[in-house]
Amino acid sequence: MTSFAAEPAHIHGSTARTAVLVVNLGTPEAPTAPAVRRYLAEFLSDHRVVEIPRWLWKPILHGIILRTRPAKSAAKYASIWTPEGSPLKVWTEKQAKLLLGALGEQGQQVLVRHAMRYGNPSIASQLDALKAEGATRILVLPLYPQYSGTTTASIFDAVGQWGQQTRHLPELRFVNRYHDDPGYIDALARRVQRHWEQNGRGDRLLLSFHGVPQRTLTLGDPYHCECHKTARLLGERLDLPADAVLVTFQSRFGRAKWLHPYTEPTLRQLAQQGVKRVDVACPGFVSDCLETLEEIAQEGRDAFLQAGGQEFHYVPCLNDDGRWIGALAGIAQQHLQGWPTAAAPDGRAAELQRERALRLGATR
């Protein structure tokens, strides 16, 4: 029999609220082997991420990967860790706060929280918190511009799992993709242009997206096509010839064939072909993280320079860029249409809602 979580105490006359929950991938709590092991165990147990029968995958995951990979990955995380914590955590928190401000400036008085698909704060905990604050309408906004079953759909799974344990469901909406959103493309272009203004322009602009197994493309996942459309629109926005923009895929895992061309071999090949300088951006990541700061800005740089290249320039992710926050607010507003964005509740109602949130937290 299903056991439903206790509902927040109902307060008659309280204002129903509209909320936005922005969701990113996640990060370990610390750059240590135990923390990375916990994170990887959750991440790599997701059937959306690893499409291998559980009876076959579980012994490999727990018998090999979680015994050998955490220490190596922890060292990589340590190389990019900041005093405030994981870069992805820091930037995601800032993006949520800035989104709240941007929506408020545009007259959208909504609640905004952030969550991580893996790790903390979890999607379930943040949905609980939004309900406790009076949210009856929630827009789930993944921080993945390009749709993939391995990422975007996994967020929807997590929301669905939360819903299966929830008695009184809020209205829910989801954002699937915004890979071709004009505001997003404009923010990417301006980020690259500012880098060129400050550092000059390279011989090639390489756009590295996170990889997924090749079989996902043949099975109908649109991710590969959406990455290429983002790249095409960005190149057009920058007024670059087609051969000046390269699309590659990074972060391979395992022995299966993944989307190609692969980023690091391409960087080596460019250097060997006589390309002296390359500029690399990662449009699929809106927050700098391990995959951009360590895999690209460190390992990618080393690969290019060791193969004979002379200058490697990494273009930072959008992070807290003003144009990006404006684009994110525009995407949210588009999907909030038709929902009332009521004024903030009066002081007494707000106090009662805070008390209700505290009571709920104490029972979970």
Side-chain angles (χ1 to χ4, degrees):
M1 179 177 178
T2 301
S3 176
F4 295 102
E7 288 293 322
H10 179 67
I11 302 175
H12 292 284
S14 60
T15 303
R17 307 293 299 277
T18 297
V20 179
L21 180 67
V22 294
V23 186
N24 215 327
L25 181 73
T27 176
E29 292 292 326
T32 63
V36 172
R37 185 176 295 109
R38 289 191 297 271
Y39 172 73
L40 289 179
E42 182 181 7
F43 175 49
L44 296 177
S45 293
D46 188 342
H47 75 284
R48 292 278 191 179
V49 175
V50 181
E51 295 185 46
I52 297 176
R54 298 186 70 85
W55 65 266
L56 178 61
W57 175 241
K58 191 173 180 179
I60 297 173
L61 175 61
H62 291 276
I64 301 175
I65 294 173
L66 294 180
R67 293 177 181 270
T68 60
R69 192 178 178 93
K72 296 177 182 178
S73 294
K76 294 176 182 289
Y77 275 106
S79 72
I80 56 100
W81 213 257
T82 74
E84 295 80 23
S86 163
L88 183 138
K89 172 180 177 289
V90 171
W91 289 123
T92 303
E93 288 177 349
K94 287 185 178 180
Q95 287 166 352
K97 291 177 181 177
L98 291 170
L99 176 61
L100 174 63
L103 289 172
E105 290 174 357
Q106 296 167 9
Q108 304 285 338
Q109 297 185 12
V110 300
L111 301 166
V112 177
R113 281 181 172 265
H114 75 280
M116 300 295 182
R117 175 60 184 92
Y118 314 104
N120 296 309
S122 69
I123 291 173
S125 69
Q126 294 297 67
L127 288 171
D128 282 342
L130 287 172
K131 280 194 62 179
E133 293 176 64
T136 61
R137 300 169 296 266
I138 302 174
L139 172 66
V140 180
L141 175 49
L143 292 175
Y144 307 134
Q146 296 77 26
Y147 177 94
S148 173
T150 62
T151 53
T152 319
S154 181
I155 289 175
F156 301 161
D157 289 347
V159 174
Q161 291 164 6
W162 171 81
Q164 291 175 359
Q165 305 297 321
T166 302
R167 185 180 303 278
H168 189 185
L169 287 168
E171 294 181 66
L172 291 165
R173 291 181 182 175
F174 302 91
V175 179
N176 267 26
R177 53 176 55 80
Y178 42 92
H179 64 289
D180 56 357
D181 177 78
Y184 161 67
I185 298 298
D186 181 68
L188 288 173
R190 187 60 191 133
R191 175 67 101 184
V192 174
Q193 288 169 337
R194 281 201 302 270
H195 185 85
W196 285 344
E197 289 167 1
Q198 296 169 4
N199 303 281
R201 182 182 299 192
D203 304 312
R204 296 287 190 281
L205 175 63
L206 188 148
L207 304 178
S208 181
F209 294 85
H210 199 289
V212 295
Q214 177 74 25
R215 67 186 297 271
T216 63
L217 173 60
T218 60
L219 291 174
D221 196 299
Y223 178 73
H224 178 266
C225 299
E226 294 187 4
C227 290
H228 276 275
K229 186 171 185 180
T230 295
R232 177 176 62 80
L233 293 173
L234 177 57
E236 292 172 356
R237 178 66 176 74
L238 293 169
D239 197 25
L240 295 174
D243 60 358
V245 181
L246 302 175
V247 174
T248 61
F249 297 90
Q250 63 182 89
S251 308
R252 285 179 290 164
F253 180 77
R255 298 182 179 180
K257 185 176 182 180
W258 283 45
L259 295 181
H260 58 281
Y262 303 137
T263 297
E264 186 171 313
T266 300
L267 287 169
R268 293 184 183 278
Q269 184 179 28
L270 288 172
Q272 292 164 358
Q273 291 172 347
V275 173
K276 301 302 181 184
R277 170 177 163 169
V278 65
D279 300 326
V280 183
C282 300
F285 300 89
V286 299
S287 306
D288 271 311
C289 56
L290 181 74
E291 287 78 6
T292 65
L293 297 175
E294 194 279 333
E295 186 177 355
I296 298 300
Q298 294 181 25
E299 292 185 1
R301 177 189 301 274
D302 290 345
F304 182 70
L305 297 180
Q306 289 171 5
Q310 293 182 2
E311 288 189 62
F312 178 100
H313 287 256
Y314 170 64
V315 181
C317 289
L318 294 171
N319 297 327
D320 60 352
D321 178 85
R323 289 184 184 233
W324 159 235
I325 300 303
L328 194 61
I331 293 164
Q333 285 193 80
Q334 177 186 350
H335 291 269
L336 288 169
Q337 289 185 28
W339 274 355
T341 52
D346 62 36
R348 177 54 182 160
E351 181 181 350
L352 290 172
Q353 286 183 3
R354 285 193 294 270
E355 292 175 0
R356 183 170 61 184
L358 291 172
R359 288 199 303 272
L360 180 65
T363 60
R364 289 187 180 271

